[in-house]
Amino acid sequence: MAQTAETQPSRLTPSPKALQKALEQSAKQAQRLADAFGVVVPSIKRKTKTNSRATS
């Protein structure tokens, strides 16, 4: 039985693809709820390529 547990993927640790899908579904659900109650939800903007040097 110990050998079977080692060879099968753990159900407690989802794959990165499954985590991404769950995160996207959660974000969509949160946005729908916010829309239903008229609440504005700040969105996280994707990082864009920026100059590595800091400007003063």
Side-chain angles (χ1 to χ4, degrees):
M1 183 167 19
Q3 186 178 6
T4 337
E6 290 176 12
T7 58
Q8 293 180 352
S10 173
R11 287 182 273 168
L12 299 177
T13 307
S15 70
K17 189 174 184 179
L19 287 171
Q20 183 66 31
K21 183 177 178 182
L23 181 62
E24 289 171 2
Q25 287 177 345
S26 178
K28 287 178 185 177
Q29 183 180 12
Q31 187 61 56
R32 285 193 303 264
L33 282 169
D35 291 343
F37 288 98
V39 178
V40 176
V41 178
S43 62
I44 298 174
K45 295 182 181 178
R46 293 193 181 268
K47 292 182 180 180
T48 58
K49 291 184 179 181
T50 58
N51 193 349
S52 59
R53 291 182 295 167
T55 57
S56 330

